[in-house]
Amino acid sequence: MKVHVNMDICLLHGQCVIAAPEIFSFDDSGDLHWVEVIDDSQVADAEAASDACPEQAIILG
Amino acid sequence: MAGPRITVVGASLAGLRTAEALKAALPQAQLTLIGDEPHAPYNRPPLSKDVMESFAGGDADETEAFGKLLLRSKLTPEDVSIRLGVAATGFENAGVRLADGSLVRSDWVIAATGIRPRRLPLPGNEDIRHVLRRFDDARALAPMLQPGKRLAVIGAGFIGCEIAATARKLGLHVTIVEPGPQPMMRALGPRVAAAMAALHRRHGVTLLTGRMVEAFQPGRVILDNGKEIEADVIVEALGSLPNTEWLAGSGADLSDGVLVDDTMRAIGAPNLLAVGDIARFANPLFDDVPRRVEHWCIPGFTAKRAAQTIAALEAGDTPEPGFSPLPSFWSDQYGMRVQAFGAPALAETQTVVEGDLSQIGEAPVIVEYARDGALTGVIGLGAPPALIAKHRARLMAALTPKETA
């Protein structure tokens, strides 16, 4: 599964980092990073992160 | 064999997430989602901020604006029967009675009917008085927010303060009237609330605290000290009331929302569950006092929990005990993010651990909240996400579920 974050609408709430820390992370300067291709074992975490995003900025596909 | 008939009443974030969780946990369930608004489930937080701003500017296409709010979902029309624009009026043994007289037969009912704004029980100025909870409220209020107009906000909770901040950005003259000593005092505690008051005043808001509205006269708000505020538009932002009238006679405790146990089942009504803003539950991270929690994160937590409960009971199992979600909330005002984790409202003491509250809005501030010497929450004010994440991790380590009596 592919993971994408629409940075035009992301407001850096950080809920994805909490829900799926193995996929999403902040670097020291506060920028969001994510794993762009995940395996099946991580899909549930990615979906939880997507649901937890108040801006619906996470696109899974 | 056909699965259980499950009716979710309330088609917003909580209702939608519950339907999704039920579909995942019980694929055979016959799901119905009922909403009194004509709109498909949508996201409310932007209503007081981005949506208000773009509508007020007149540059927003309504369909496009709603499209951005619409909650994405994997549910298909085959998964769930959705009935919009019809309110539930009664909870009966056989199911849920609707305003059109029909009965939705149900084995399980999940109440997700949320809250509505409290109104001042005073007559006058009806043509310029607004509230903000729903998309249609935003649509009605936004065109009134024109530069140079005078806005009176009654109530300095988060909604009132966000509207005030948005209106200042749009060039209105803004007065806030708040009965308490500081804005957002219950949620933020006195020190941070005082700093937020300073932030609003620095941005040109006239903030009148410790004052009540006594009457409305045409184009005027009359306060309890006799002061008169001229207003072209008035917003009542006085908190909320739970929408539980339709559950009268269900056996549930409706004294403030719906009292539920740690599986989201209503005490006194075995086939009724409640989720979202109206669910009143104890959180063992803090204590054994049931509370309603009006944060955006709660619908997601309670929806999953309710679905697990029904799935377990349908399988003849006992739901696993224990439900202790970490609350979080945020508010955006004047481009500054207030980000909270835990339950700052339960704290007795506040300690600034990074930054300086006199620098609010200019430099990051982190505040710790504690009760009986134990951390209950942490709030970041204009703090970078990585910094807040560090303090959130510390809070998580400090909070352990407490044994309930």
Side-chain angles (χ1 to χ4, degrees):
Chain A
M1 180 184 269
K2 285 185 181 163
V3 178
H4 179 69
V5 181
N6 181 348
M7 293 310 292
D8 290 339
I9 57 175
C10 170
L11 292 178
L12 298 174
H13 290 275
Q15 293 292 334
C16 56
V17 175
I18 295 165
E22 290 179 359
I23 303 172
F24 300 93
S25 60
F26 288 120
D27 65 21
D28 286 343
S29 56
D31 292 331
L32 183 67
H33 297 268
W34 62 92
V35 179
E36 292 182 357
V37 179
I38 57 172
D39 60 43
D40 290 351
S41 68
Q42 294 177 300
V43 169
D45 283 353
E47 287 178 343
S50 177
D51 280 354
C53 175
E55 310 301 331
Q56 301 196 85
I58 299 171
I59 297 142
L60 306 175
Chain B
M1 197 185 85
R5 298 164 301 182
I6 309 178
T7 303
V8 181
V9 184
S12 58
L13 180 64
L16 179 68
R17 292 288 180 254
T18 303
E20 290 171 344
L22 285 165
K23 181 67 197 173
L26 276 173
Q28 300 305 314
Q30 304 170 60
L31 299 176
T32 303
L33 181 61
I34 292 164
D36 65 339
E37 289 185 77
H39 309 294
Y42 62 91
N43 202 24
R44 298 186 199 279
L47 291 179
S48 54
K49 303 173 279 264
D50 302 5
V51 169
M52 189 63 60
E53 207 178 313
S54 57
F55 273 177
D59 57 357
D61 174 74
E62 213 166 87
T63 311
E64 192 188 324
F66 187 78
K68 287 180 187 165
L69 297 179
L70 190 69
L71 291 165
R72 290 196 308 253
S73 178
K74 284 194 296 190
L75 290 178
T76 67
E78 290 74 46
D79 294 332
V80 57
S81 162
I82 301 185
R83 299 185 63 176
L84 300 174
V86 59
T89 55
F91 177 90
E92 301 176 11
N93 284 337
V96 177
R97 184 70 64 182
L98 303 185
D100 61 10
S102 62
L103 178 74
V104 183
R105 294 188 178 277
S106 316
D107 302 305
W108 297 97
V109 174
I110 301 181
T113 34
I115 54 181
R116 63 180 181 274
R118 192 187 295 273
R119 306 288 310 235
L120 275 179
L122 297 170
N125 283 331
E126 282 81 2
D127 54 333
I128 59 167
R129 285 166 65 181
H130 293 259
V131 292
L132 185 59
R133 168 70 182 169
R134 300 178 161 208
F135 182 71
D136 293 350
D137 297 331
R139 199 158 54 176
L141 172 60
M144 313 298 290
L145 300 183
Q146 296 303 318
K149 296 281 188 190
R150 298 160 302 181
L151 167 68
V153 179
I154 319 295
F158 285 106
I159 301 283
C161 286
E162 288 178 0
I163 292 170
T166 301
R168 283 300 298 146
K169 192 172 174 189
L170 290 166
L172 284 84
H173 303 285
V174 179
T175 301
I176 305 180
V177 180
E178 162 61 34
Q182 300 290 356
M184 301 166 283
M185 171 114 152
R186 200 169 53 89
L188 302 180
R191 291 185 64 195
V192 173
M196 291 301 291
L199 182 71
H200 277 272
R201 290 187 170 117
R202 200 196 306 156
H203 282 86
V205 169
T206 302
L207 175 61
L208 305 175
T209 54
R211 291 268 78 93
M212 312 266 276
V213 174
E214 195 158 277
F216 290 112
Q217 285 175 7
R220 282 187 167 79
V221 181
I222 315 298
L223 305 188
D224 57 353
N225 62 348
K227 186 179 168 67
E228 298 188 6
I229 300 161
E230 295 188 350
D232 303 301
V233 54
I234 297 167
V235 175
E236 294 172 61
L238 300 144
S240 57
L241 296 169
N243 295 320
T244 53
E245 288 80 358
W246 66 283
L247 291 168
S250 64
D253 177 340
L254 307 177
S255 51
D256 178 24
V258 182
L259 180 64
V260 297
D261 63 16
D262 68 355
T263 71
M264 300 297 113
R265 289 179 93 184
I267 312 282
N271 295 321
L272 174 68
L273 293 85
V275 294
D277 290 336
I278 59 170
R280 184 157 62 97
F281 60 94
N283 189 332
L285 286 182
F286 307 107
D287 52 32
D288 58 3
V289 181
R291 297 181 184 89
R292 293 195 304 108
V293 185
E294 296 176 10
H295 300 335
W296 189 90
C297 62
I298 296 299
F301 291 134
T302 52
K304 284 197 178 67
R305 183 63 174 155
Q308 287 165 1
T309 298
I310 294 180
L313 294 170
E314 283 288 327
D317 298 332
T318 304
E320 282 178 32
F323 179 63
S324 53
L326 180 70
S328 67
F329 65 85
W330 82 94
S331 176
D332 292 314
Q333 299 172 33
Y334 306 107
M336 187 191 78
R337 165 83 42 86
V338 178
Q339 174 72 60
F341 290 102
L346 300 181
E348 294 152 349
T349 60
Q350 303 163 60
T351 310
V352 176
V353 292
E354 300 207 29
D356 179 343
L357 281 174
S358 69
Q359 301 286 306
I360 191 168
E362 290 161 18
V365 183
I366 301 277
V367 184
E368 275 184 5
Y369 291 74
R371 176 171 67 176
D372 298 331
L375 270 186
T376 65
V378 58
I379 291 185
L381 302 151
L387 180 60
I388 299 174
K390 190 181 79 179
H391 288 278
R392 178 191 172 278
R394 217 159 43 80
L395 174 68
M396 280 296 279
L399 289 173
T400 48
K402 289 153 188 69
E403 294 289 321
T404 48

